[in-house]
Amino acid sequence: MNEYGNRTLLQCENLTKCYGSTTALEHVNLALEGGRIVGLVGPNGSGKTTLIKLAQHLLTPSEGTILVGGMAPGRETKAIVSYLPDRDFLPQWMSLADVLRFYEDFYTDFRRDRAEEMLANLQIPNRTTIKKMSKGTREKVQLILTMSRDAMVYLLDEPIAGVDPAARDYILRTILTNYNPEALVLISTHLIADVEPVLDEVVFLKEGQVVLHQNADALREETGKSVDGYFREVFKC
Amino acid sequence: MLSKLFKYEIKAVGRIMLPLYGASLLSALVLGIMAYFNERTAGMDVPVATLAILFTLLHMAIVIMTCVLSVTRFYNNLLGTEGYLMFSLPAGTPALVGAKMLSAVFWSFMSVVAGLLSTVAFALSYGLPHLNEETIAALSDLFAEIMKRLRLEHIQGIGLAFLFLLTAILAAAGLLARIYAALAIGHQWSSHRILGSVLAFIGLEILENWIRIFLSRTGINTYSLFLLEELDGSTMSGMTTTLLVTLAVSAVVILLYGMITSVLLDRRLNLE
C-alpha cells in the first residue's frame, strides 16, 4: 500500500445540501479511495457540482459531514486538492506567465516544468492574456494547471463539457498522463461515453442521492452493458 | 500567505491605477509648460483650457477608480467567478479579506500621493522657467523659515498632522470594512444579492449608530472627531487625545467588520 492509495480520501456521511427549499444533495454516504479514477455521473441538476463544491469548501453542508484526506474541508485540504471548476475561473487580465507564477507562488506541489511542457504543445505565447484565448484554449490551460499539481485529490468538474471531440481526447490524455497515480481523481460529467475508458469506478447521482457506486468493470460484467448504456437505461426520461 | 495575496492585489489594481497616475503626472507637466508659454504666445488658450480639463478629469478618474476598485476587487475576486480560484488557495479567509483591505488602503494612500506629485509637477513645470535670482532668494528664505519652525516650534504639530492622516485613513478603512461586511451578508441571499448588500449596508449603518449612541449615554464618546467642541480640542494634548480615541474606535470597527466578513465567507460561503 502506498501513502494515499487504498486510503479513503473522500468520505461523505449523511451529507445534505439545500438551497432554500430545493434539496441538491440528500443524505449522501460515500467513501472514495486513493489510486482510483472515479466518474461522478448523473443528469443535469443531480448534485454533482454541489458535491464537488462541498469537498472544496466552496459550499457548506446543510447537514452531515464531508472529509477530504480525513480532514474537514478548509485551508489544509485545499493544499492537497487540485480543483477544476465547471467555469472560467482565471482572472481575465492575467497572462499565461502571470498564471504560472501565481500557481507556483501558492501551491508548493505545482510542477511548473510539467505545465510548461504541456503548454508548449498548445503553442500559446506566454504573454497572451486569458481574455484573448479561445474558450477551448482556456479550458485546456485550466486543465493543464490543475493536472500540473502533485495533489492527493483531483476534483474535475465537467472537464470535457463544451469542447469539441478532438479537444476532449486531448483533455482525457492530459488527465491520464499527468495525474498522481496514488491520488483520487473524481471526474464529474454527463458525457459518460467519452470518459468511460479511463474510469475505475462510477458513482451514479440521481436527484441528489447516490443510486449506484460500483467498479466500472464489474458493472459492465453484471449488466452486460457499457457504463454509458446502463446510465441511459437508469436515467431514461 | 497574506504577503503573497497582497502582492497579487497590488498587481491587479496597479495595472489600472499606475497608467492613470502616469497620465496625471504627464498632463500636469505639459499643462505647466503650456501655461508658461501661454503667457508669452497668443492663441494657446484653447489647448491650455483643454489640457486643464483633461488634468481635472484624470484626477476625478483617480478618485473614482480608487473607490470603485476597492469594492469591485472584493466583489469580483472573492464572490464572483474568480472566487473559485481564490477560495481554492490554501489560504485562510481572514488573509483573503485582509489582503483586499490592505490593498485598498495602500492604493488610497498612493492616489493621494499621486495627486500631490502631479500638483508639484505642475508647479515645477510652470514655475521653474520663472526662476531668477530674486525668486530663488525668496524661496530659500521661505525654506529656511520652514526648517527653523519645524525644528523649534511645530514639531508636535507635524506629529499631529501624521496622526490626523492615519486617523482619516483608518476611518476610510472602517467604511470599506462595513461595505465588505455588507457584501458578505448580501451574499447569503440566494438571489438579488446586490440588493441584499445595499440593505445590509444600511442596516449596519443604523446598528453602528445605535451602538455609538448607547455608548455615548454611558459616557464613551465614539464620535469624538466630529464633536470637537465637546472636547478640549484647543490644545495639542486635547487634539491628540481626540484623534487617538477616533483611531482606536476605527480600529475596533475594522476588526469587528473584518470578523463578520471572514466568518460569513468561511462558514457560510455559497459560490453558486
Side-chain angles (χ1 to χ4, degrees), chain A residues 207-224:
Chain A
E207 293 168 0
Q209 293 180 318
V210 175
V211 293
L212 178 101
H213 175 200
Q214 199 167 1
N215 181 289
D217 289 333
L219 179 69
R220 281 187 282 264
E221 207 171 297
E222 273 180 29
T223 61

Side-chain angles (χ1 to χ4, degrees), chain A residues 17 19 53 56-60 75 78-79 83 85 87-89 91-94 98 101-103 105-107, chain B residues 1 4-5 7-8 11-12 15 73 81-82 84-92 266-272:
Chain A
K17 176 65 188 176
Y19 299 108
K53 282 185 185 177
Q56 187 63 350
H57 197 42
L58 299 178
L59 292 174
T60 42
R75 188 178 166 177
K78 287 169 187 177
Y83 167 57
R87 63 197 70 200
D88 291 341
F89 62 95
Q92 300 283 304
W93 61 270
M94 275 190 176
D98 289 333
R101 267 196 299 274
F102 185 91
Y103 266 70
D105 265 357
F106 286 102
Y107 296 111
Chain B
M1 194 55 77
K4 287 180 187 173
L5 290 165
K7 185 182 88 178
Y8 276 93
K11 192 175 179 184
R15 79 201 156 87
R73 277 297 301 163
T81 51
E82 288 176 20
Y84 285 82
L85 175 69
M86 300 311 290
F87 281 106
S88 292
L89 298 175
D266 190 53
R267 298 187 190 164
R268 296 185 58 85
L269 180 67
N270 268 304
L271 281 185
E272 290 172 22

Side-chain angles (χ1 to χ4, degrees), chain A residues 111-152:
Chain A
R111 301 288 167 259
R112 185 174 176 136
D113 52 341
R114 191 194 296 170
E116 281 177 333
E117 193 183 321
M118 286 189 273
L119 288 167
N121 296 333
L122 294 179
Q123 295 178 322
I124 312 166
N126 257 9
R127 295 173 70 89
T128 311
T129 57
I130 301 296
K131 192 177 183 177
K132 286 183 181 167
M133 292 177 190
S134 69
K135 180 178 161 55
T137 304
R138 257 198 317 266
E139 294 205 355
K140 286 176 195 165
V141 167
Q142 291 179 167
L143 180 80
I144 286 170
L145 293 167
T146 308
M147 298 311 298
S148 295
R149 288 182 57 197
D150 278 336
M152 196 198 283

Side-chain angles (χ1 to χ4, degrees), chain B residues 127-207:
Chain B
L128 278 180
H130 285 94
L131 283 183
N132 53 37
E133 280 184 17
E134 199 179 319
T135 52
I136 289 171
L139 280 172
S140 58
D141 284 350
L142 179 67
F143 185 69
E145 182 64 20
I146 290 171
M147 293 309 287
K148 190 177 153 193
R149 281 174 180 270
L150 278 183
R151 278 200 303 273
L152 295 176
E153 296 167 34
H154 291 162
I155 198 75
Q156 202 181 353
I158 300 287
L160 199 65
F162 274 112
L163 190 60
F164 185 84
L165 184 66
L166 187 63
T167 308
I169 288 172
L170 276 201
L175 176 67
L176 195 64
R178 191 201 303 160
I179 294 173
Y180 289 172
L183 288 169
I185 294 168
H187 178 72
Q188 306 303 310
W189 289 30
S190 53
S191 59
H192 303 101
R193 288 178 167 179
I194 298 286
L195 176 65
S197 301
V198 172
L199 292 176
F201 182 81
I202 295 167
L204 288 173
E205 168 77 29
I206 293 168
L207 186 66

Side-chain angles (χ1 to χ4, degrees), chain A residues 2 4-10 31-40 147 151-156 175-176 179-187 198-203 213-220:
Chain A
N2 54 45
Y4 306 130
N6 302 331
R7 173 184 153 191
T8 301
L9 291 179
L10 183 68
L32 302 175
E33 293 176 349
R36 318 287 288 165
I37 300 180
V38 181
L40 182 64
M147 298 311 298
M152 196 198 283
V153 177
Y154 296 87
L155 300 174
L156 312 178
I175 294 171
L176 277 180
Y179 84 100
N180 173 4
E182 296 168 2
L184 163 69
V185 183
L186 184 63
I187 305 175
V198 307
L199 299 181
D200 297 313
E201 291 176 22
V202 284
V203 175
H213 175 200
Q214 199 167 1
N215 181 289
D217 289 333
L219 179 69
R220 281 187 282 264

Side-chain angles (χ1 to χ4, degrees), chain A residues 10-25:
Chain A
L10 183 68
Q11 186 158 23
C12 308
E13 281 181 17
N14 204 27
L15 186 66
T16 301
K17 176 65 188 176
C18 303
Y19 299 108
S21 57
T22 310
T23 304
L25 281 180

